[in-house]
Structures are given as C-alpha cells and as structure tokens.
Amino acid sequence: MEIKKVTQVHFSPSGTTRKTAEALSESFGLPVDDADLLHDPSVTRRFGADELVIFCLPVFAGRLPEFCPKLLSQFTGSDTPALAVVVYGNRDYEDALLELADLLKSRGFVLAGAAAAVAQHSIFPAVAAGRPDAADIEKLHRFAASAAEKIRLAAGPEDLGEFPIPGNHPYRKLTNVPMHPRATSACIQCGTCASVCPTGAIPLENGRITDRSLCISCTACIKACPVDARGFGGPVFAIGSKLFAHKCAQPRQPEFFL
Ligand SMILES: Cc1cc2nc3c(=O)[nH]c(=O)nc-3n(C[C@H](O)[C@H](O)[C@H](O)COP(=O)(O)O)c2cc1C
C-alpha cells in the first residue's frame, strides 16, 4: 500500500501526547496534517485508503478521556491505515489502548500498529519527569519505521492483519480524578484558561472559579496560564503526590504492537 499523506490527531492538555504524535509523524517523511482536538474540537475529517492517520490520546484513569470517543466519531476512514497510540504517566494504561483500537476499527480504520507510550505525569509531574526523553523518541521513530515498512509491504488493508492489544472487555469503569486545578491570587483574569478548557468548567468572566462538576482535571488550564497561577494544591495533594511518586518510581517503557 502506498501512503501519500499522514494526519496526526491528538488531544493533549499538557503537551506530551502532541509531542509523541509529532515524533511518530515526522518519521514517515511525508506531508503531515494536524488535527488538534483540544484547540479545535469541531474538526471533522474523512480519509482515503492512501493516507495514514495517527491517533494519539492520553490515558485518564485507565481509559480514554470521557468525551474523546465522541470527538473521534468526527473522523471516518475508508479502509484507512491508522496507528492507535495512548500516552500514560508511568502508572498504567489498563483498557485505554484497547478502547481506542476498538473505536478506530468501528470508524473504518485498519490498524497498522498500536502503542502505549510513556510521558511525564500531568498531575504529578515528578513522575516520569522530562519524558518522552531522547530514548523514548528514538523508540517511537523505530516503531514508526516498522509500521511504514508493514504498510509498504501490504497489498491491501487485509494484509495489515490482526494483532493482540492488551486490555479487557468490558472496559474498567470511567472515573474522575477527585482533585481539580485552582487559581491562586496571581491570577490576572485574562481568560486564557477558560478559552482552553475543553469542558467549559471555567467561566470566561472569572478565571478564579472552577466548576468541579464539569472539570475533568485534564491540566490544559495549568499549561495555558501565562502567569503560572493555576495548579493543584493543598496538604492532601502534597501527601498524595509523594505517595504516588513513590508508587510509580520505576520507569516503564513504551510498548509497541504490530
Ligand atoms: C485526569 C488524569 C488522569 C490520569 N490517569 C492516568 C492513568 O490512569 N495512568 C497513568 O499512567 N497516567 C495517568 N495520567 C497521566 C497522563 O496520562 C499523562 O501525563 C499524559 O502524558 C498526559 O498527556 P498530555 O501531556 O498530552 O496532557 C492521568 C492524567 C490526568 C490529567
């Protein structure tokens, strides 16, 4: 099969999923289109069989972020080769990769490969700090090269074949993280956090308020704040961070499936 174009689709509140997507896309040496689900959630695309689509999503509590399946229904393949990639913060990815693979197959994509990549934890940044690092990027490049070769050698989508992907049916229950970012007195009420929040949990007119019933703790507001006025805080978070960092201290390695 000949691929003429690559599209990277990502939802990346703190930027590591995007970085992972870019490392994979650049390996193909083809024109790359970008679909950024954080900043343009209304993006809708249809793809042909001569394209490759790289779907990269972060892992939230062992699943895909709750509203991502709805966003993915805006993408339609027509026997289009795809890579399913989840990015997780060195704890575990549980059912997220299987969930993504199932969704893509139901949307007309044929999986050429799948990966669970590791990145700095967006809530507990001491965990896997600085990842993906140079060694991770090198592994992502090698995986992309193998996927490219697999697609090149395939006469048609049926040759890309089935391969096992870890995870369970039914998927684990969707759960929300019980901590939410909040603003400090340094907040300048610029509205940047509100404009980037994917669930509308922060009112545009008052960046110091977070609607906890809407917030999914994705950290997009923390990353976007121009004056570092948003973050998790309080003694419970401080103790939880230490315990979590201890529990997840052992570096995990990216896993690839072809
Ligand atoms: C709400 C939430 C839940 C998370 N759940 C998990 C998890 O179950 N396992 C894990 O290893 N990392 C988990 N993480 C960490 C992210 O998967 C990881 O930091 C990822 O790189 C974030 O992607 P981003 O930088 O594109 O936002 C979670 C992060 C958030 C914000």
Side-chain angles (χ1 to χ4, degrees):
M1 293 176 78
E2 194 194 350
I3 296 301
K4 297 195 175 119
K5 188 177 144 196
V6 173
T7 299
Q8 56 181 33
V9 180
H10 54 85
F11 172 73
S12 188
S14 89
T16 63
T17 305
R18 182 189 195 117
K19 194 172 173 188
T20 302
E22 286 169 351
L24 291 168
S25 304
E26 70 193 14
S27 310
F28 288 86
L30 289 169
V32 177
D33 206 357
D34 187 65
D36 180 340
L37 298 175
L38 177 65
H39 296 102
D40 185 9
S42 62
V43 59
T44 301
R45 301 267 170 89
R46 287 186 167 272
F47 301 95
D50 59 351
E51 303 184 56
L52 172 71
V53 190
I54 303 175
F55 289 90
C56 274
L57 297 180
V59 176
F60 283 9
R63 295 281 306 269
L64 300 179
E66 194 172 345
F67 59 94
C68 281
K70 188 166 168 283
L71 295 181
L72 291 185
S73 70
Q74 297 158 195
F75 296 85
T76 310
S78 167
D79 279 343
T80 307
L83 300 182
V85 181
V86 295
V87 180
Y88 71 104
N90 202 58
R91 187 191 65 77
D92 204 347
Y93 60 94
E94 280 125 344
D95 301 330
L97 187 57
L98 184 63
E99 186 182 9
L100 179 57
D102 290 343
L103 272 165
L104 297 183
K105 288 180 197 166
S106 76
R107 300 293 318 156
F109 296 93
V110 186
L111 288 193
V118 182
Q120 178 161 351
H121 201 292
S122 48
I123 299 182
F124 304 110
V127 174
R131 295 182 70 186
D133 56 19
D136 292 315
I137 301 287
E138 173 58 27
K139 287 176 190 162
L140 292 167
H141 285 163
R142 270 191 267 138
F143 164 64
S146 303
E149 185 63 357
K150 181 176 169 185
I151 296 166
R152 194 183 68 78
L153 292 174
E158 62 287 351
D159 284 349
L160 291 176
E162 287 285 318
F163 49 91
I165 291 176
N168 293 297
H169 293 117
Y171 312 131
R172 74 202 313 257
K173 217 170 138 255
L174 283 168
T175 46
N176 277 334
V177 169
M179 300 159 288
H180 303 277
R182 48 198 187 190
T184 65
S185 56
C187 170
I188 54 170
Q189 304 277 14
C190 66
T192 306
C193 54
S195 64
V196 80
C197 175
T199 60
I202 308 168
L204 255 179
E205 64 286 357
N206 188 352
R208 296 203 184 143
I209 296 174
T210 305
D211 182 337
R212 296 165 72 93
S213 69
L214 294 177
C215 174
I216 55 163
S217 314
C218 73
T219 75
C221 58
I222 299 175
K223 189 75 182 173
C225 178
V227 292
D228 280 337
R230 292 189 70 86
F232 297 96
V236 176
F237 179 73
I239 295 167
S241 295
K242 279 204 179 122
L243 291 173
F244 190 83
H246 182 69
K247 186 178 148 212
C248 301
Q250 184 68 29
R252 295 197 57 174
Q253 295 309 318
E255 293 169 46
F256 302 109
F257 309 92
L258 281 161

